[in-house]
Amino acid sequence: MYLSKLFVPITKDLPSEAKIKSHQLMLRTGMIKQSSAGIYSWLPLGFKVMKKIEKIVREEQNIIGAQEMLMPTIQSSEIWKESGRYEDYGEEMLRIKDRQGREMLYGPTNEEQITDIFRTSVKSYKSLPQILYHIQWKFRDEIRPRFGVMRCREFYMKDAYSFDLSDKDAKNSYNKIFYSYIKTFNRLGLKAIPMSADTGPIGGDLSHEFVILAETGESQIYADKKIFEIDLNKYDFSETSLQKMRDDFSSIYAVTDEKYKEKDFNDKVKKENQVKTKGIEVGHIFYFGDKYSKPLDCLIDTKDGKKVTVKMGSYGIGISRLVGATIEANFVNNVMKWPKSISPYDVVIIPSINKNNTENLEKAEKIYSELKKQNIDVLLDDVDENMSNKFKKHDLIGIPYQIIVGSKSEEDKFEFKELNSNSEILSLDKIKTKLKK
Ligand code: 5CA
């Protein structure tokens, strides 16, 4: 893609309503555009990052055998009345009437809907266990939407739902998702800490939040950095191994300010291992047994002819929030550097150009087509602008690698730079190899 053609409305002024780094950066680099309070359009640059995150989340769900489906955004109030949450959910639920006067709502989450699908489709223990998921827009009429995509009214979420015959099996499904979340966040270049959490309006008695470290987060975190050293490769997919993994995570100190006690922290965590910072919740998982299957009568025939309510859990990842959260975690000293796995482009070519000298642009175009042939997703900054402005702009766009075609480039060697590091002069072949890695 040529930057001059890319729809990326970069603005120089800092929007006053944007209080945190990610919100400012996303508006400045034209990743999103606010449509009304807490509701955003995703422009090409932002959309591309969100789609890359979605792809990784999907791959990791599929690896553990979860199956993708899609439920609608608009739901009937009937099933919510059956579960009892229609009243309980309160003002956060956007309620709509259709032309027949039927009460509908814009789904804030889908426990009722998936239970309704399951109860009419699955009757026998033979069909269990199951994990189903979808990636869909949700609406919660947050009283104070803020921080851009971090706390919106309309947001994009992956939510999965597990169905098991017994509590024991259900906890195993919970542990599988737990494992897959740690792996997913690692692939997104994020360090996530699982923390035992309150269940709130979703309900149940077992829950973990996955929190990433960032100074602008909403919750204060106290943790032992040993939690980042747990190696997932140590565990296999057997029930005991997965339980061991969850126990290993739980045995390491990590709490939010509600549970924090200074003495505990100092007694249990060595000074050099103490992590005190803010965090952003990017995922949340719940085990709630028959909280929904009971009122909705979702019954399964067991092997010995009895009927039991199916045991369920639900598991969310905030995909749109993750775009902002990744920026919060990676935007340091006014330089944004996307993790390679979700960067909008693999590399940007920045030629020094002006009207009288098109030589650098021609060289850049040659490099561009070479890299394209190698399936490298490359952006060419063909905008006629001075180099210092270009560098400032790319510090915000955050593509991790740059090929600079200017005074330092020789016949077939170019300046290659990884953001926040020193540049090197390399041949195109060497650059290709580095990028391919
Ligand atoms: N049904 C359960 C799990 S599937 C559920 O809805 N859980 S949740 O309420 O915790 O939401 C899951 C994830 O969605 C959160 O961890 C967060 O990352 C994201 N999320 C929740 N509310 C918002 C919001 N207002 N704006 C952006 N992302 C949000």
Side-chain angles (χ1 to χ4, degrees):
M1 175 57 84
Y2 281 34
L3 187 58
S4 63
K5 305 261 172 4
L6 182 67
F7 185 80
V8 45
I10 290 175
T11 50
K12 292 223 165 63
D13 307 318
L14 268 185
S16 64
E17 76 276 14
K19 300 278 183 273
I20 61 169
K21 293 185 287 188
S22 59
H23 191 188
Q24 293 168 351
L25 184 131
M26 290 181 82
L27 291 170
R28 282 189 65 184
T29 58
M31 293 179 77
I32 49 168
K33 170 131 184 51
Q34 182 170 319
S35 135
S36 51
I39 304 181
Y40 291 88
S41 297
W42 288 78
L43 306 184
L45 199 63
F47 193 58
K48 209 163 181 227
V49 173
M50 186 162 74
K51 284 283 151 186
K52 288 199 170 184
I53 295 176
E54 178 182 347
K55 181 166 180 281
I56 291 176
V57 170
R58 174 177 290 118
E59 283 169 6
E60 291 301 327
Q61 291 289 290
N62 294 346
I63 286 173
I64 57 161
Q67 294 169 61
E68 188 168 12
M69 59 180 300
L70 185 60
M71 291 178 269
T73 51
I74 307 289
Q75 304 180 24
S76 156
S77 63
E78 295 302 318
I79 44 177
W80 287 75
K81 286 179 183 160
E82 276 188 66
S83 74
R85 271 210 298 183
Y86 194 55
E87 295 312 321
D88 293 355
Y89 219 95
E91 302 229 83
E92 260 192 31
M93 181 187 278
L94 181 65
R95 295 150 207 261
I96 315 163
K97 271 210 177 110
D98 71 8
R99 65 202 299 170
Q100 319 287 356
R102 279 183 294 242
E103 289 175 316
M104 312 290 286
L105 56 102
Y106 195 123
T109 176
N110 291 64
E111 281 79 9
E112 285 76 359
Q113 199 167 38
I114 193 82
T115 312
D116 179 48
I117 294 170
F118 211 78
R119 70 176 166 184
T120 50
S121 326
V122 176
K123 301 285 176 211
S124 162
Y125 71 93
K126 288 182 194 150
S127 312
L128 297 180
Q130 281 287 357
I131 302 176
L132 297 167
Y133 74 97
H134 79 160
I135 301 177
Q136 180 60 292
W137 292 96
K138 312 279 154 152
F139 196 93
R140 295 182 188 171
D141 203 355
E142 298 270 350
I143 187 159
R144 244 185 311 129
R146 62 205 156 124
F147 304 150
V149 302
M150 305 273 269
R151 186 160 296 282
C152 303
R153 294 198 297 162
E154 190 183 49
F155 59 98
Y156 201 44
M157 192 211 284
K158 184 286 298 179
D159 44 338
Y161 301 89
S162 65
F163 300 86
D164 285 278
L165 204 56
S166 67
D167 255 347
K168 184 167 167 288
D169 292 350
K171 298 229 161 100
N172 190 42
S173 297
Y174 187 93
N175 292 345
K176 271 189 197 166
I177 298 264
F178 190 110
Y179 175 95
S180 118
Y181 273 28
I182 299 284
K183 222 173 129 214
T184 304
F185 296 125
N186 281 346
R187 279 187 69 190
L188 296 172
L190 296 169
K191 287 181 168 173
I193 304 184
M195 297 191 155
S196 87
D198 296 331
T199 54
I202 308 289
D205 53 16
L206 172 63
S207 172
H208 283 88
E209 277 174 26
F210 290 78
V211 176
I212 62 155
L213 307 183
E215 278 159 25
T216 42
E218 287 188 276
S219 34
Q220 181 71 37
I221 308 290
Y222 301 88
D224 185 335
K225 76 171 183 225
K226 277 202 306 212
I227 202 145
F228 298 123
E229 288 156 20
I230 296 182
D231 176 10
L232 277 189
N233 294 318
K234 280 198 317 209
Y235 310 98
D236 59 43
F237 252 57
S238 66
E239 197 171 331
T240 40
S241 183
L242 286 176
Q243 185 57 43
K244 168 95 176 53
M245 169 222 49
R246 187 149 72 77
D247 293 342
D248 288 350
F249 273 100
S250 307
S251 70
I252 296 178
Y253 191 93
V255 298
T256 53
D257 39 4
E258 288 134 42
K259 295 188 183 151
Y260 171 73
K261 288 200 185 79
E262 196 179 344
K263 185 167 181 319
D264 265 8
F265 188 48
N266 288 329
D267 288 350
K268 291 183 183 155
V269 186
K270 278 196 222 150
K271 260 262 158 326
E272 64 270 25
N273 281 352
Q274 292 185 351
V275 179
K276 279 188 222 174
T277 182
K278 292 267 171 75
I280 302 167
E281 178 204 309
V282 288
H284 202 158
I285 62 178
F286 303 83
Y287 175 58
F288 44 71
D290 56 12
K291 174 168 181 203
Y292 300 91
S293 53
K294 201 167 175 190
L296 271 83
D297 252 343
C298 184
L299 297 173
I300 299 290
D301 296 324
T302 64
K303 207 171 184 174
D304 44 13
K306 288 191 197 126
K307 284 196 188 302
V308 294
T309 45
V310 74
K311 305 291 180 286
M312 292 174 59
S314 74
Y315 315 91
I317 290 186
I319 295 189
S320 50
R321 176 180 287 185
L322 268 168
V323 180
T326 306
I327 296 171
E328 292 300 328
N330 289 287
F331 188 21
V332 184
N333 296 333
N334 287 323
V335 179
M336 173 61 201
K337 185 178 173 199
W338 286 103
K340 285 160 211 144
S341 56
I342 57 170
S343 172
Y345 292 91
D346 299 325
V347 58
V348 53
I349 309 172
I350 312 177
S352 159
I353 42 181
N354 62 54
K355 285 184 198 75
N356 310 322
N357 178 357
T358 52
E359 198 184 317
N360 285 336
L361 181 60
E362 281 153 25
K363 275 189 197 162
E365 284 174 330
K366 269 203 192 126
I367 302 172
Y368 178 85
S369 34
E370 282 289 311
L371 297 182
K372 276 278 186 199
K373 272 189 223 150
Q374 305 278 318
N375 276 332
I376 292 167
D377 195 10
V378 46
L379 183 69
L380 196 166
D381 186 347
D382 58 333
V383 179
D384 183 1
E385 188 181 32
N386 72 50
M387 287 303 259
S388 106
N389 283 353
K390 284 193 183 201
F391 289 133
K392 275 191 206 137
K393 178 175 66 187
H394 288 292
D395 280 350
L396 296 183
I397 295 179
I399 300 167
Y401 295 108
Q402 305 180 335
I403 301 170
I404 302 154
V405 187
S407 56
K408 288 194 195 155
S409 60
E410 295 158 24
E411 199 43 43
D412 57 353
K413 286 197 173 153
F414 308 95
E415 194 180 349
F416 180 73
K417 181 173 173 356
E418 179 166 358
L419 270 178
N420 292 332
S421 318
N422 295 328
S423 63
E424 320 168 67
I425 308 295
L426 296 176
S427 70
L428 192 52
D429 276 340
K430 285 237 167 69
I431 291 177
K432 274 190 220 163
T433 320
K434 282 209 171 218
L435 290 172
K436 279 278 175 192
K437 263 196 217 152

